[in-house]
Amino acid sequence: MEKDVAVVIGPQSSGIAHVISQVANEFHVPLLSLATDPTLSALQYPYFLRTTQSDYFQMYAIAAFVEHYRWKEVIAIFVDDDYGRNGISVLGDALAQNLAKISYKAAFSPSASTDNIADLLVKVNLMESRVFVVHVNPDSGRRIFSVAKSLGMMTNGYVWIATDWLPSVLDASEPVDADTMNLLQGVIALRHHTPDSVFKKHFMSRWKNLKYAGNWSINSYSFYAYDSVWLAAYALDSFFNLGGNTSFSNDPRLSSSNDSSLNLTSLRIFEGGEQLLKILLAVNYMGLAGQIQFDSERNLVHPSFDFINVVGTVSHRVGYWSNYSGLSVVAPETLYQKPGNRSSGNQQLYSVIWPGQTTKTPRGWVPTNGKPLQIGVPYRVSFKEVVSKDKDPPGVSGFCIDVFEAALNLLPYPVPHNYVLYGDGLRNPEFSDIVNDVAQNKYDAVVGDITITTNRTRIVDFTQPFMESGLVIVAPVKESKSSAWAFLEPFTVQMWCVTGASFLFVGAVVWILEHRKNTEFRGPPWQQLMTILWKSGKVLAWGLPDHGHCYDGMLIEVDASDSAGSAFQRCSSHKRLPPGLLSTGENTVSPLGRMVVVIWLFVDGSFARKYLVDELNILESRIVNLGPHAYASALQRGPKNGGVAAIVDELPYIELFLSSVNCRYKIVGQEFTKSGWGFVFQRDSPLAVDMSTAILQLSENGNLQRVHDKWLKKSACSTTADQVEENRLSLISFSGLFLICGTASILALVVFFCIILYQYSRYSSQEAGEGNIEVGEAVSSGRPIPYRRPSFKDFFC
């Protein structure tokens, strides 16, 4: 800088680049750097231009590779400097976007010894993740793989991903010695993608013919360095052609001291720096490494990488990555000519040969490297069919244990585990406490009747539910025979009185509106009264006839049949529930706030209590803590005798309780929560995903139901088919109504026939008198006698 520099090329070191960028920015000197540190940005250093690909894109390429194979955790091994820390920081952000993460950051000093590296690798080898990302300098990279080889970490099940440092070493050292290649078998590495072009082929041909080239090969950084030199030359040529000159001015802020060896006064500001920077930002041509053009952040456009797989003595390319189309087996320069497509179905790679010479994709993790999982089990003292202590190995038994063991048997790998009882054996433990212990790494998992709730899913991971478990209400039911007057029960006495009054009121209104115009409403008073009652009753019960009637422009229609019918359905059941527990559709639990409710707090009590208090607004003073051994006696006593009106608990417990009391009680309504039991694992545990898949397989092949029937199906209390039969309406339910209708009909017929007979007798007498007159006249005149007494059939018809 003391010699009036107009442009700087380099350095490759990220640490040095930070220092030089600051100086170049102060003296307006464009810096063409090969440093890959993603924190070197134009926002902080306006005169900084990166002439290679940033590690920002390389880390996103690694994240796409990890997502492609559905790994969720990686371990980052990196050198503890600006280059290593900043690159791994971007990797963490990239993985997080794909719901993955860095489970451990294994950093080591740039001056670390082989022993330090060995200690670090031993530590990470004890962790679950088997996917390692190595982001180091070339001088320490070979030692890492050498130590990993000696520790047996280059075998089946391991995944090693190296950043661009490894291909740079291999490409620059061709041919690579066999010992080095033997250390790298199965390793995946990223290389800067440099498109094949005629210009590149000619350059390589001329390079090989150079006498001083010897056996030295060229890597991707060599191409970028070559392009950087030509870029500087092109920009300076354009700068001079546009009339620019290399003039410099002193910086008044700088002054030399007699005691300082720094000649600060010799550092001068390049007055044409801004103009030269504009020329550099406007360039666009094809170089050896690809298109030379800068984007808005001063990075080269079209960042892309090759994925190479070290196999044998060579490295094979298994695919590409670009920020335009993601993973592909087609060169990025070809895809740039097509519409971008980053859909998951379009992300492709060729087959990879992993460490251990296998093509089977590693799982990417192991259950603590053979160390048995510590699995907490609730030490239950009630409903031991669910889960409890057992004298025989493995020390616990029950429905939950059998389901867990059956799911483990479906996994393609062994999972060593130990069961640890949680609780004192005197009372059922609080499940929220054992869930918190999993979140705090005291247990690796919990197997038991743990209800899946929203708050718990925030701190731990649950498997697929293996048992449905919603809250239900149990109450005593009373046998009650149907009454002959059951049809009156839908309405109260007050309702029947109001209904009768409404009949008379509507009839009076109709009579006032119609008696002047409608002949049907005229005649003797008793006839008008009967017409009013008939018309009003017809309108109230059946509505208007199809053709309709218009009473002075007012249409009247009242339909009470639906409400009466629906109300009758509620009172037609042969089972009578206690007052306040009548269930109507979705409003099953609405009366809970008006009665004493019992919940067994020892069975996941915090979940049920919180729901009743917070969601249903039930006063805590109305909630009684009760153990299952007292369920039957409390229900039998009732709330008036120190007992309870109903019990609220989870469905599996209620089913066990009902089977133990020979179904003397019934479940009222439907479940008013929908949840389930699941196995608990630590947050982001890959075992939770595999166990969920295994539980689904158990459900599909019927084994889950068989385990359920073994432990929980004692004697089923039917609440479906039998209850439907009980709730059917019988003849006795309507016998009173039929009696009234029959009596009224028979009485009407008796009255009718009495009137007919009376009319017939009068008619016969009248006809007889007239017949005697005609007979006398016929006798006196000598004519035939025409008279014949009329028959009842002729009169009636």
Side-chain angles (χ1 to χ4, degrees):
M1 301 294 288
E2 296 180 359
K3 300 184 180 299
D4 296 337
V5 176
V7 61
V8 176
I9 301 176
Q12 185 177 355
S13 170
S14 296
I16 299 176
H18 275 278
V19 177
I20 296 182
S21 296
Q22 184 69 40
V23 175
N25 190 55
E26 291 294 332
F27 296 102
H28 299 178
V29 177
L31 172 63
L32 307 182
S33 176
L34 299 175
T36 60
D37 185 353
T39 62
L40 289 166
S41 65
L43 184 63
Q44 183 179 6
Y45 307 114
Y47 284 85
F48 174 84
L49 284 83
R50 196 192 314 271
T51 55
T52 186
Q53 300 296 345
S54 170
D55 280 343
Y56 175 89
F57 301 107
Q58 181 173 209
M59 296 307 166
Y60 271 83
I62 294 175
F65 185 85
V66 171
E67 181 189 21
H68 181 74
Y69 289 101
R70 300 182 180 180
W71 298 316
K72 293 301 180 181
E73 294 184 2
V74 304
I75 293 177
I77 302 174
F78 60 97
V79 61
D80 193 11
D81 59 9
D82 291 340
Y83 163 75
R85 287 191 302 268
N86 296 333
I88 295 303
S89 176
V90 174
L91 177 62
D93 296 338
L95 290 171
Q97 293 185 10
N98 300 330
L99 301 181
K101 69 175 184 177
I102 299 176
S103 60
Y104 184 74
K105 294 181 179 180
F108 62 89
S109 171
S111 59
S113 64
T114 302
D115 291 338
N116 297 141
I117 294 176
D119 293 339
L120 184 66
L121 293 184
V122 169
K123 183 177 181 179
V124 300
N125 196 37
L126 296 176
M127 300 178 182
E128 289 187 353
S129 179
R130 285 294 178 265
V131 181
F132 302 101
V133 177
V134 183
H135 186 53
V136 297
N137 294 319
D139 53 349
S140 59
R142 190 181 187 280
R143 286 188 293 157
I144 289 177
F145 286 106
S146 177
V147 173
K149 180 79 171 180
S150 64
L151 294 176
M153 300 175 64
M154 301 297 296
T155 56
N156 288 343
Y158 289 87
V159 178
W160 291 89
I161 304 173
T163 53
D164 59 356
W165 66 267
L166 180 57
S168 299
V169 172
L170 298 180
D171 293 344
S173 305
E174 290 185 354
V176 184
D177 64 275
D179 292 339
T180 300
M181 296 301 290
N182 187 47
L183 297 175
L184 304 173
Q185 294 301 298
V187 173
I188 296 293
L190 284 82
R191 174 198 287 143
H192 295 113
H193 176 68
T194 56
D196 293 331
S197 63
V198 176
F199 181 33
K200 181 179 176 181
K201 291 180 180 179
H202 289 170
F203 174 83
M204 294 301 299
S205 177
R206 286 184 286 117
W207 173 260
K208 292 180 180 180
N209 292 330
L210 293 177
K211 294 182 180 180
Y212 55 82
N215 294 326
W216 287 96
S217 299
I218 294 181
N219 57 28
S220 59
Y221 282 101
S222 302
F223 294 141
Y224 285 120
Y226 182 88
D227 289 339
S228 299
V229 173
W230 276 102
L231 174 62
Y234 172 83
L236 288 173
D237 183 62
S238 300
F239 174 77
F240 292 126
N241 290 336
L242 292 175
N245 59 81
T246 54
S247 58
F248 297 87
S249 60
N250 294 322
D251 189 344
R253 296 172 298 175
L254 298 177
S255 61
S256 296
S257 173
N258 296 330
D259 298 333
S260 175
S261 59
L262 298 177
N263 188 15
L264 297 180
T265 56
S266 63
L267 300 178
R268 298 194 297 172
I269 299 175
F270 179 36
E271 296 181 351
E274 184 175 356
Q275 182 182 1
L276 181 60
L277 178 63
K278 292 181 179 179
I279 295 175
L280 288 169
L281 294 176
V283 298
N284 185 4
Y285 68 93
M286 289 298 298
L288 284 179
Q291 186 173 357
I292 306 301
Q293 183 182 3
F294 296 99
D295 59 17
S296 58
E297 296 182 359
R298 315 289 171 86
N299 291 316
L300 291 176
V301 297
H302 301 321
S304 55
F305 292 87
D306 299 343
F307 281 99
I308 64 171
N309 182 202
V310 179
V311 181
T313 59
V314 294
S315 56
H316 300 278
R317 184 164 51 202
V318 295
Y320 306 89
W321 178 90
S322 69
N323 68 332
Y324 180 75
S325 57
L327 299 175
S328 69
V329 294
V330 181
E333 56 270 20
T334 302
L335 297 176
Y336 293 147
Q337 304 172 6
K338 302 177 181 179
N341 184 0
R342 303 199 66 165
S343 62
S344 57
N346 197 53
Q347 305 299 296
Q348 300 176 354
L349 292 173
Y350 290 120
S351 178
V352 175
I353 298 179
W354 305 98
Q357 300 297 311
T358 178
T359 57
K360 182 180 179 181
T361 302
R363 293 194 314 271
W365 70 280
V366 293
T368 62
N369 195 25
K371 181 181 178 182
L373 295 176
Q374 298 301 306
I375 299 177
V377 178
Y379 192 173
R380 298 186 55 86
V381 296
S382 60
F383 296 135
K384 295 184 178 181
E385 300 90 341
V386 177
V387 62
S388 187
K389 182 180 179 180
D390 190 50
K391 296 180 180 179
D392 300 328
V396 290
S397 63
F399 167 70
C400 296
I401 299 299
D402 282 6
V403 173
F404 184 76
E405 291 290 343
L408 286 181
N409 292 335
L410 293 178
L411 298 181
Y413 49 86
V415 181
H417 58 282
N418 294 326
Y419 293 113
V420 181
L421 287 172
Y422 184 88
D424 54 12
L426 301 178
R427 54 175 291 179
N428 293 322
E430 285 287 347
F431 288 177
S432 295
D433 293 341
I434 192 172
V435 171
N436 289 331
D437 287 348
V438 175
Q440 296 172 8
N441 297 328
K442 294 181 180 180
Y443 297 101
D444 296 305
V446 172
V447 174
D449 45 333
I450 310 298
T451 304
I452 302 173
T453 64
T454 303
N455 290 334
R456 291 173 181 173
T457 57
R458 294 191 178 104
I459 59 176
V460 295
D461 280 350
F462 281 90
T463 62
Q464 174 81 13
F466 60 89
M467 180 70 175
E468 293 184 358
S469 175
L471 291 179
V472 294
I473 304 173
V474 171
V477 292
K478 182 187 296 183
E479 294 287 346
S480 177
K481 295 182 179 180
S482 182
S483 170
W485 307 103
F487 69 94
L488 294 175
E489 293 184 11
F491 293 156
T492 62
V493 175
Q494 183 181 12
M495 182 61 185
W496 281 116
C497 293
V498 172
T499 302
S502 66
F503 273 50
L504 298 178
F505 175 75
V506 172
V509 173
V510 173
W511 179 83
I512 292 173
L513 296 174
E514 292 294 318
H515 79 281
R516 296 181 58 192
K517 299 180 181 180
N518 196 334
T519 56
E520 293 183 5
F521 290 86
R522 296 183 181 181
W526 66 269
Q527 181 178 352
Q528 294 187 42
L529 178 61
M530 295 301 295
T531 303
I532 290 173
L533 293 176
W534 168 251
K535 293 293 185 181
S536 61
K538 184 177 179 181
V539 169
L540 283 171
W542 297 286
L544 291 175
D546 294 339
H547 57 273
H549 282 286
C550 181
Y551 301 118
D552 282 353
M554 181 175 67
L555 189 66
I556 302 176
E557 180 174 0
V558 179
D559 189 358
S561 59
D562 288 343
S563 60
S566 61
F568 184 80
Q569 291 176 359
R570 296 178 57 189
C571 67
S572 62
S573 174
H574 293 251
K575 297 285 187 180
R576 298 292 182 85
L577 300 173
L581 277 180
L582 192 59
S583 173
T584 56
E586 297 179 357
N587 200 23
T588 302
V589 298
S590 60
L592 286 177
R594 301 190 300 274
M595 69 178 186
V596 178
V597 179
V598 176
I599 177 169
W600 180 30
L601 293 180
F602 301 149
V603 181
D604 205 4
S606 59
F607 152 65
R609 171 181 281 272
K610 183 177 178 61
Y611 184 86
L612 292 175
V613 174
D614 296 346
E615 301 297 333
L616 301 183
N617 299 319
I618 297 175
L619 296 178
E620 292 196 38
S621 60
R622 297 194 176 189
I623 300 178
V624 180
N625 301 338
L626 193 66
H629 58 278
Y631 276 12
S633 61
L635 287 173
Q636 187 175 4
R637 292 195 307 269
K640 295 182 179 180
N641 299 318
V644 296
I647 291 175
V648 178
D649 210 336
E650 295 185 67
L651 181 60
Y653 307 130
I654 292 300
E655 289 179 343
L656 289 173
F657 165 68
L658 293 179
S659 65
S660 65
V661 295
N662 297 323
C663 307
R664 293 201 307 267
Y665 307 102
K666 289 289 184 180
I667 295 176
V668 180
Q670 304 295 324
E671 298 178 58
F672 54 94
T673 62
K674 291 294 183 181
S675 58
W677 295 347
F679 300 130
V680 183
F681 289 90
Q682 293 179 3
R683 194 74 172 162
D684 299 325
S685 172
L687 188 57
V689 178
D690 292 349
M691 287 294 289
S692 295
T693 304
I695 291 172
L696 290 176
Q697 293 177 8
L698 289 175
S699 178
E700 292 172 356
N701 60 28
N703 288 335
L704 185 59
Q705 184 62 40
R706 282 188 282 272
V707 175
H708 175 275
D709 295 343
K710 172 186 174 182
W711 289 97
L712 304 182
K713 190 175 182 180
K714 301 299 182 181
S715 58
C717 297
S718 174
T719 58
T720 55
D722 293 343
Q723 187 174 2
V724 171
E725 183 65 27
E726 291 175 352
N727 289 338
R728 295 180 63 184
L729 301 177
S730 62
L731 176 61
I732 195 173
S733 301
F734 289 93
S735 59
L737 182 61
F738 288 142
L739 179 61
I740 293 174
C741 293
T743 302
S745 300
I746 294 174
L747 182 62
L749 288 175
V750 171
V751 173
F752 173 75
F753 280 112
C754 289
I755 295 174
I756 290 296
L757 290 175
Y758 173 73
Q759 291 178 349
Y760 175 70
S761 63
R762 292 187 59 187
Y763 175 73
S764 298
S765 300
Q766 183 179 358
E767 288 294 325
E770 294 178 354
N772 292 334
I773 296 175
E774 292 182 0
V775 170
E777 292 178 354
V779 171
S780 61
S781 61
R783 290 181 287 121
I785 299 175
Y787 173 75
R788 184 176 62 84
R789 182 182 179 87
S791 66
F792 180 79
K793 177 180 179 181
D794 295 336
F795 173 79
F796 184 77
C797 297

